[in-house]
Amino acid sequence: MAKSYRCISSLIECPPVCNLCETSVSVHSRCLECQEFLCENCRKVHSKGKATKSHKIIQIYGNRDALPFTKFIKCTDHEKSDVIMYCQNCESLVCSECIAITHSGHLFQQIDSVYNVKVEELEMRLAGIENDSLKEISLHIKRTKFKKRHKKSEIEFLKERIIQLTEVQKKVLEKRRDCILNDLDDHFNTSEKILNETEMDLNLIKTELKDCQQIIYKSLSSCERIGVIRSANSTKEKLDKIDVSKGVPAIESPSFEKSDLDADICLGVVSFSLNMNGGDTVSETTNGVKVETSVAGVLDTDYRFISSVCQLSGGYSWTGSSSGDTIMLVHHNDDLQKVSELNVTADDMAHLAADNILVTCPDDPIIQTVSTIDGSSQTFLDVSPLYPTGIHINGNKDILVSMVEGHRYSFKVDSQRKVVRYSSDKNIKSEYQFAGTKRLFTYPYKLCENTNSDVCVVDKSGAFTGRLVMLDQSGSLRFTYNGTSSMDQKSTFDPRDVVCDSLGRVIISDCGNHTLHILDHDGDIICHINTIKLGIKYPWSLSLESYVKLWIGCKAEPEKSDTAKLYVIETDIDQMCII
């Protein structure tokens, strides 16, 4: 009985018809001894013939449409010979002439057996490409695209800063120019007044001299002895009183130096005034990055802790606490001032429209729309049986909500813990809960989104422990951040809130360590800000008003009867090294 072997169709090409019957186009086999291609019927006959039943027959899988029915594969060194074996030493296909001449003494394998090995190699290589290399290069491409977008944002940001700086320079120079021009006007007005008075005095002297002149002329022409004597006496008395030596008064000329309009000198006054909004300026240096920070405002509240700060425009913010029964509107100008309050309990808040905010409440599955005019509320979204923990509205009006099934830190194995993205009309766009079969979150608490649509989530693992999880828009995990040992941490990483700036940098409040962590968009630490040095303890909630103003809601000191404070700090984060 002839033995069948499997062979690769792309290595052994075959003609369109069976070599024996020359009629069948259903060619499935080949006799290695006869070098003939066979249809199924001819293969059976060939296997039973006395002279051919011991021949080795290989089976070719596939059909006529899938096979290139052309000719035998020719040897690259001997064009008239077909390849029949595979040389293991040289890793090449060889013909009978190669075996006899150039590959004498080498080890050989049947092509079909080599084919099976090569198939496994190619399959492993393919798996490596698809599972590793392509994913890695796709990630690099994605990061490159992000870098391009980031670079554009970075350049636009710097251009805007340059424009702002030149506008400041322009305003400062114009103000300085106006001051100098006003000084010159004042100088001229004073000088003119002095000179006018001098001119008037000199004209009076001139008139008196002319009067004396006329008296003398008249007396001399009259030739009257008594008149001459009297005139001589009177004019002497008058002339003795006249001071003809009084001349033009000395008036100092105004001075002007080019340095009076030097931009750096003028701006030095402005730079100094920026740090005069309250509090000392504190410099923090991490990894060679220096950040200067100062307190610009502080306000005592009635809360034990401030769990949310909701930023509006014009220096206004709503602040609230899950432990309180009111939310408070605060305005920042030279300092923080309470404007009004509403009877609302808020765990987290997000600005929905001009006069409405979205509010989550502790242990309540309903997200409410609250009117900031009268405090009235209505149901915006019911996420039962889950409970919302954090809420964020991005620039595209998407609403991101972190939510959990069950109460804080007490979950069943199959409890839902996820982030859901809603459209502005409350339709679910995407959900983030698993990476494969692995959970992304333990207890998703607060969240925000950067300009690249990456989602930053504070993931609590306990009351005073947690981490930061960053996902891309598709929900794939970008990185996790668990704090860093390069700082003097008195306790474990205790994240409470997170915000992102226009360049994708991440700012995290670390309540237990009185620290702000600033990361780049890849999760690498840029610097820490020790808030104790600013007089700020237990930073909790965050809200970024601009690239320099950060609102911080704090927690009252444990085991003390005081209440939580709200701060606004100014920082030159925009001057940090480019990411």
Side-chain angles (χ1 to χ4, degrees):
M1 188 75 178
K3 188 177 180 180
S4 293
Y5 293 87
R6 182 180 169 201
C7 184
I8 184 170
S9 61
S10 61
L11 291 178
I12 300 178
E13 302 180 58
C14 45
V17 295
C18 175
N19 291 140
L20 294 186
C21 66
E22 296 184 348
T23 56
S24 176
V25 295
S26 181
V27 177
H28 294 288
S29 306
R30 183 189 184 193
C31 177
L32 294 179
E33 277 77 1
C34 302
Q35 296 291 306
E36 299 287 354
F37 287 92
L38 310 171
C39 65
E40 183 61 21
N41 290 333
C42 292
R43 183 193 67 78
K44 292 178 180 178
V45 173
H46 202 72
S47 299
K48 295 177 180 179
K50 290 183 179 181
T52 59
K53 66 179 180 180
S54 61
H55 287 189
K56 292 182 180 179
I57 297 176
I58 61 173
Q59 187 173 358
I60 302 173
Y61 290 95
N63 53 49
R64 183 180 185 278
D65 294 331
L67 294 174
F69 292 95
T70 55
K71 57 184 180 179
F72 302 139
I73 295 179
K74 297 298 182 182
C75 178
T76 55
D77 295 327
H78 308 95
E79 297 180 355
K80 294 182 180 181
S81 301
D82 300 331
V83 295
I84 58 172
M85 299 292 282
Y86 180 81
C87 177
Q88 289 182 310
N89 299 68
C90 303
E91 296 185 344
S92 61
L93 295 168
V94 294
C95 65
S96 56
E97 291 186 58
C98 292
I99 293 172
I101 301 173
T102 57
H103 295 262
S104 178
H106 291 187
L107 297 176
F108 300 97
Q109 282 183 285
Q110 293 288 344
I111 291 176
D112 59 324
S113 61
V114 174
Y115 159 71
N116 292 327
V117 174
K118 296 301 181 183
V119 164
E120 292 180 1
E121 286 183 12
L122 291 175
E123 286 175 346
M124 291 178 62
R125 200 165 295 151
L126 180 63
I129 292 173
E130 293 178 344
N131 297 332
D132 298 319
S133 301
L134 275 177
K135 287 185 178 180
E136 184 175 356
I137 202 67
S138 297
L139 180 61
H140 289 327
I141 291 171
K142 185 174 181 179
R143 287 180 174 174
T144 301
K145 289 181 178 179
F146 178 80
K147 283 282 188 183
K148 286 168 60 179
R149 290 193 297 271
H150 168 71
K151 183 58 66 176
K152 182 178 179 181
S153 299
E154 180 184 86
I155 296 302
E156 291 299 323
F157 174 78
L158 292 177
K159 287 167 66 176
E160 181 181 349
R161 289 288 293 148
I162 290 170
I163 292 172
Q164 289 175 347
L165 182 60
T166 53
E167 287 298 318
V168 170
Q169 288 179 329
K170 181 180 177 182
K171 289 178 181 179
V172 170
L173 288 174
E174 287 177 347
K175 186 175 181 179
R176 180 63 178 155
R177 176 203 64 193
D178 292 342
C179 287
I180 293 174
L181 292 179
N182 288 335
D183 288 345
L184 291 174
D185 287 339
D186 291 342
H187 180 86
F188 172 75
N189 291 334
T190 301
S191 301
E192 185 181 38
K193 182 180 179 180
I194 294 172
L195 292 173
N196 284 339
E197 291 174 352
T198 301
E199 186 179 6
M200 289 177 62
D201 291 342
L202 292 174
N203 282 327
L204 287 174
I205 294 172
K206 182 179 179 181
T207 300
E208 290 177 354
L209 288 173
K210 283 187 174 291
D211 288 344
C212 289
Q213 182 185 32
Q214 291 299 321
I215 290 171
I216 293 172
Y217 276 141
K218 187 176 180 180
S219 297
L220 291 175
S221 61
S222 67
C223 296
E224 294 181 0
R225 293 178 183 178
I226 294 176
V228 169
I229 293 171
R230 286 179 176 173
S231 296
N233 291 335
S234 64
T235 55
K236 180 180 182 302
E237 185 178 349
K238 287 183 178 182
L239 289 174
D240 286 342
K241 294 180 179 180
I242 296 173
D243 183 11
V244 295
S245 65
K246 185 177 183 179
V248 179
I251 300 176
E252 185 178 353
S253 298
S255 63
F256 171 75
E257 299 292 338
K258 184 179 178 182
S259 61
D260 291 338
L261 288 176
D262 187 281
D264 291 334
I265 294 176
C266 295
L267 283 171
V269 179
V270 177
S271 299
F272 173 76
S273 66
L274 288 178
N275 290 325
M276 299 303 291
N277 293 324
D280 297 328
T281 298
V282 174
S283 296
E284 290 285 342
T285 304
T286 306
N287 298 331
V289 179
K290 184 178 181 181
V291 182
E292 291 190 349
T293 308
S294 61
V295 175
V298 60
L299 178 69
D300 287 307
T301 72
D302 296 329
Y303 309 124
R304 284 298 296 167
F305 61 88
I306 302 170
S307 60
S308 179
V309 180
C310 177
Q311 193 67 50
L312 308 180
S313 59
Y316 289 90
S317 285
W318 284 100
T319 62
S321 174
S322 57
S323 66
D325 54 8
T326 63
I327 59 174
M328 181 170 56
L329 181 63
V330 180
H331 181 244
H332 175 250
N333 191 358
D334 293 331
D335 206 343
L336 288 173
Q337 293 181 336
K338 176 181 174 180
V339 179
S340 62
E341 65 180 16
L342 299 172
N343 293 323
V344 176
T345 299
D347 194 11
D348 202 6
M349 297 180 285
H351 186 208
L352 180 64
D355 299 322
N356 290 293
I357 55 176
L358 295 183
V359 175
T360 66
C361 302
D363 301 324
D364 188 345
I366 296 176
I367 300 172
Q368 298 178 347
T369 303
V370 175
S371 169
T372 57
I373 297 176
D374 58 12
S376 60
S377 63
Q378 59 183 4
T379 298
F380 178 79
L381 192 65
D382 188 344
V383 299
S384 300
L386 281 72
Y387 296 93
T389 56
I391 189 165
H392 173 79
I393 300 176
N394 67 11
N396 297 322
K397 304 302 181 184
D398 285 351
I399 303 162
L400 286 92
V401 183
S402 54
M403 57 185 76
V404 297
E405 183 181 9
H407 297 281
R408 295 175 186 250
Y409 320 124
S410 58
F411 305 109
K412 297 179 181 179
V413 175
D414 57 349
S415 295
Q416 296 188 69
R417 289 156 267 170
K418 61 186 178 180
V419 171
V420 181
R421 182 189 296 271
Y422 296 91
S423 62
S424 57
D425 53 2
K426 296 181 278 189
N427 292 320
I428 295 178
K429 297 177 71 173
S430 54
E431 294 187 5
Y432 313 126
Q433 186 170 194
F434 295 99
T437 58
K438 187 177 181 180
R439 286 191 178 275
L440 289 169
F441 313 113
T442 301
Y443 181 87
Y445 179 51
K446 294 294 180 66
L447 73 169
C448 71
E449 185 178 81
N450 66 14
T451 54
N452 194 45
S453 298
D454 295 324
V455 181
C456 300
V457 183
V458 172
D459 183 33
K460 300 292 289 180
S461 55
F464 307 104
T465 57
R467 61 177 183 164
L468 180 84
V469 177
M470 179 175 275
L471 312 175
D472 63 19
Q473 190 174 16
S474 68
S476 298
L477 180 64
R478 288 201 61 223
F479 66 81
T480 59
Y481 177 75
N482 298 286
T484 174
S485 59
S486 64
M487 56 176 285
D488 183 20
Q489 287 180 304
K490 294 182 179 180
S491 62
T492 55
F493 185 46
D494 182 18
R496 298 300 175 100
D497 205 354
V498 58
V499 291
C500 293
D501 70 3
S502 60
L503 291 182
R505 290 175 290 208
V506 183
I507 306 173
I508 311 163
S509 62
D510 183 355
C511 187
N513 293 292
H514 317 287
T515 301
L516 300 179
H517 299 241
I518 302 177
L519 316 180
D520 66 15
H521 52 73
D522 288 324
D524 295 323
I525 186 70
I526 297 175
C527 71
H528 307 105
I529 296 176
N530 184 344
T531 59
I532 286 286
K533 295 180 180 179
L534 295 164
I536 300 174
K537 295 181 179 180
Y538 300 102
W540 189 306
S541 52
L542 301 175
S543 182
L544 195 61
E545 180 182 344
S546 65
Y547 54 83
V548 294
K549 287 186 179 180
L550 180 68
W551 292 60
I552 305 176
C554 296
K555 181 180 76 169
E557 291 192 53
E559 306 197 8
K560 285 191 177 183
S561 58
D562 60 349
T563 55
K565 289 181 170 58
L566 176 68
Y567 294 88
V568 172
I569 67 170
E570 291 185 345
T571 173
D572 62 350
I573 186 174
D574 60 306
Q575 297 295 329
M576 293 191 308
C577 64
I578 301 303
I579 300 171

